[in-house]
Amino acid sequence: MIKEPKISENQREIWREPLNFGRFAVPKGEIHIFPERCKECNYCTNYCPNQVLERSPEVNVYGYHPVRVREDKKDSCVACGMCQSICPDFAIFVKEVKIQ
Amino acid sequence: MTEVEYHPKHDLIREERFPHVWCPGCGLGIELQCYLNALEKSGIPQNNHVLVSGIGCTARIPGYANLDTYHTTHGRGLPFATGMKIANPDLKVTVISGDGDLFNIGGNHFIHAARRNMDLLVICSNNFNYGMTGGQHGSTTPPTSKSASTPYGNIEPTFNLPYIASALGASYVARWTVMHPRQLTKSIRTAMDVKGFAFIEVLSPCPPNFGKFNGFKDGFEEMEFYRKSSVVQNDAKLEDISIDPFHGKDIVLGDFVNRKRASYITLEHELIDRIRGGGQ
Ligand SMILES: Cc1ncc(C[n+]2csc(CCOP(=O)(O)OP(=O)(O)O)c2C)c(N)n1
Ligand code: SF4
Ligand code: SF4
Ligand code: SF4
Ligand SMILES: [Mg+2]
């Protein structure tokens, strides 16, 4: 029986660093948001493993505060796709950026 | 000039209809996305997939899928889909509808479609209530939980959907939540290849009705409660997995049943071949 893990403050904490860890490039993502579709459910802001997203103070035509990328986390998206796959409103998606 | 930007699922959704009708935090959009992910991976052409529903919030899912979709009458998605599958067995027919639609008003159709091992994939989104009509209770409302029609707590016993489906002989039975998008996608993908009756129960939050009546502040709180109450146990004894999270019982998820049992379409075609071939 596998108990679902509880969300920890920093989910990406590495318990034991693999020996060849330095050889792997961490993927990078570019976030695209449709602000008019966002209904402020906060799933993406809560479930993003790197806390990349936040609600913006702006208001869309339906009266919701759409999400945006946090200024201090502009380079922290790892293109895991979590936000895209749990957004009920098809309001956010990620494109993986090729790292040279 | 800026280019118009589309969602990666653009070809599979009717994007012009967005934003959709569902409430903030409703899980149905995630369920739609998982279905479309599985459809993409199925290798079956988009034109051969059809999506059928009854009535309810869940039943509006087909309206957002860019496929041949059918929004039928309350509880009647299964007989409609059965007719379509028999008339054109090349179609991959999926029925997606709510717990109330499939198990209350449409319960008898479910029993017989599963008994026949009809070649259909049935995805039931269980939000524990009648979302569309304001949150009344039904046969899937957990013990003692509150709803618009059980303000003092539900006194009725609850249907255990995977157990029912399995007892009736379904070829495939699973249960996931919308907070398990990868597992759910995989499960739908697997079920698309099943011969016979495939049934997947998907637990989904309904924040303004079931959530609100049971003290959840918003969809996220309700979702977290289901996620934290969940355990994955593929070999669970199905008679033990009725849903009762408000008394500390774990919600058991998994791909429970995947077995070979003669399907209706297979038997029907064998019969036709036998009769046409001059046998009896
Ligand atoms: C014959 C008939 N009876 C009753 C209704 C009213 N009605 C509409 S949706 C619904 C319940 C839907 O519940 P469920 O299938 O759980 O869908 P949800 O909205 O929760 O996704 C009812 C009773 C109807 N439309 N038609
Ligand atoms: S793709 Fe992953 S890391 Fe990037 S914003 Fe979405 S959830 Fe966060
Ligand atoms: S998951 Fe989607 S709808 Fe919800 S807050 Fe994020 S972008 Fe908005
Ligand atoms: S009432 Fe419930 S099921 Fe219907 S759209 Fe709202 S949250 Fe979803
Ligand atoms: Mg329902």
Side-chain angles (χ1 to χ4, degrees), chain A residues 37, chain B residues 10 13-19:
Chain A
R37 281 186 207 168
Chain B
H10 177 67
I13 56 176
R14 299 179 187 162
E15 202 157 5
E16 70 285 0
R17 293 193 174 183
F18 284 72

Side-chain angles (χ1 to χ4, degrees), chain A residues 31 48-49 52-53 77-83 94:
Chain A
I31 289 298
C48 168
V52 171
L53 304 160
C77 173
V78 291
C80 69
M82 188 62 178
C83 53
V94 58

Side-chain angles (χ1 to χ4, degrees), chain B residues 28 55-58 74 98-101 105 125 127 129-133:
Chain B
L28 295 171
I55 296 292
C57 294
T58 312
H74 203 10
D99 47 331
D101 184 79
I105 190 167
S125 86
N127 52 16
N129 77 132
Y130 293 165
M132 178 165 269
T133 47

Side-chain angles (χ1 to χ4, degrees), chain A residues 12-54:
Chain A
R12 308 211 118 241
E13 178 187 346
I14 298 158
W15 292 345
R16 189 182 62 84
E17 190 164 310
L19 292 174
N20 52 358
F21 190 66
R23 297 221 317 271
F24 291 102
V26 179
K28 276 216 169 309
E30 185 185 274
I31 289 298
H32 297 250
I33 294 162
F34 300 99
E36 296 309 317
R37 281 186 207 168
C38 175
K39 293 183 187 152
E40 212 186 297
C41 71
N42 285 325
Y43 288 165
C44 61
T45 50
N46 279 301
Y47 289 120
C48 168
N50 280 357
Q51 292 93 41
V52 171
L53 304 160
E54 66 178 1

Side-chain angles (χ1 to χ4, degrees), chain B residues 109-118 164-165 168-171 197 261:
Chain B
H109 297 301
F110 186 90
I111 291 174
H112 294 292
R115 173 183 62 83
R116 293 182 179 122
N117 208 20
M118 187 53 67
I164 294 177
L168 292 166
S171 283
F197 195 80
R261 187 180 154 237

Side-chain angles (χ1 to χ4, degrees), chain B residues 78-93:
Chain B
L78 274 168
F80 184 94
T82 298
M84 194 151 57
K85 181 70 189 179
I86 291 174
N88 187 352
D90 292 337
L91 296 176
K92 183 76 242 171
V93 184

